[in-house]
């Protein structure tokens, strides 16, 4: 085959450092999500959906075939962190957690995941971020050590 093709859907999840609720304001959260869409577009990894709650972000995107997951997440977190700090002096201490969760998903699950991400605020009235991440680890069969998940 003379060309390379790939269609890799990723569900990426990351939190603010120590799950601080920096993203309380709806307008800030919406602007952040839009900014992340732009970052992913510039990385040739188009976003399908971005959402989250006061302390974390969910991102559904297509990974560019020449990009690594680590590079994409690094770029999203670095650029968005700089952007957030410029929005308000009260956010100067903003940081993302060091790690992230990244899960491959089937194209057939894309619509279900889009709805899940769109309903994050409602969802987190019933489940904490920590419990959500534990459930995602279990769903995707990810082995983890709880001592190294939370920062």
């Amino acid at each position: 085959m003379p060309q390379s093709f790939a269609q890799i859907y990723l569900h990426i999840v990351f939190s603010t450092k120590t799950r601080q609720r920096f993203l309380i304001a709806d307008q800030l959260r919406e602007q952040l999500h839009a900014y992340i869409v732009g970052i992913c577009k510039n990385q040739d990894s188009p976003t399908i959906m971005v959402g989250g709650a006061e302390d974390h972000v969910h991102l559904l995107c297509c990974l560019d075939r020449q990009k690594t997951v680590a590079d994409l997440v690094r770029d999203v977190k670095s650029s968005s962190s700089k952007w957030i700090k410029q929005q308000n002096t009260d956010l100067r201490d903003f940081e993302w957690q060091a790690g992230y969760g990244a899960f491959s998903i089937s194209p057939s699950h894309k619509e279900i995941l889009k709805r899940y991400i769109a309903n994050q605020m409602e969802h987190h009235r019933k489940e904490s971020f920590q419990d959500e991440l534990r459930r995602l680890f279990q769903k995707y069969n990810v082995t983890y050590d709880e001592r190294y998940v939370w920062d």
Side-chain angles (χ1 to χ4, degrees), residues 49-112:
M49 177 63 90
V50 179
E54 293 96 347
D55 63 351
H56 70 282
V57 168
H58 288 259
L59 168 61
L60 172 58
C61 66
C62 288
L63 183 67
D64 178 71
R65 66 181 178 77
Q66 296 181 332
K67 196 85 165 158
T68 67
V69 175
D71 287 346
L72 177 63
V73 174
R74 180 201 61 221
D75 293 346
V76 166
K77 288 168 62 176
S78 174
S79 295
S80 63
S81 180
K82 289 175 190 170
W83 178 85
I84 287 172
K85 290 175 182 182
Q86 294 171 352
Q87 301 312 301
N88 185 321
T89 56
D90 292 340
L91 300 171
R92 68 182 168 273
D93 294 330
F94 178 88
E95 289 182 64
W96 292 117
Q97 71 179 129
Y100 60 90
F103 314 100
S104 61
I105 69 149
S106 166
S108 65
H109 292 113
K110 187 172 61 169
E111 292 304 316
I112 294 167

Side-chain angles (χ1 to χ4, degrees), residues 52-53 118-127:
N119 290 315
Q120 279 291 293
M121 293 303 291
E122 179 67 29
H123 172 79
H124 284 290
R125 291 187 180 120
K126 301 171 190 160
E127 182 179 48

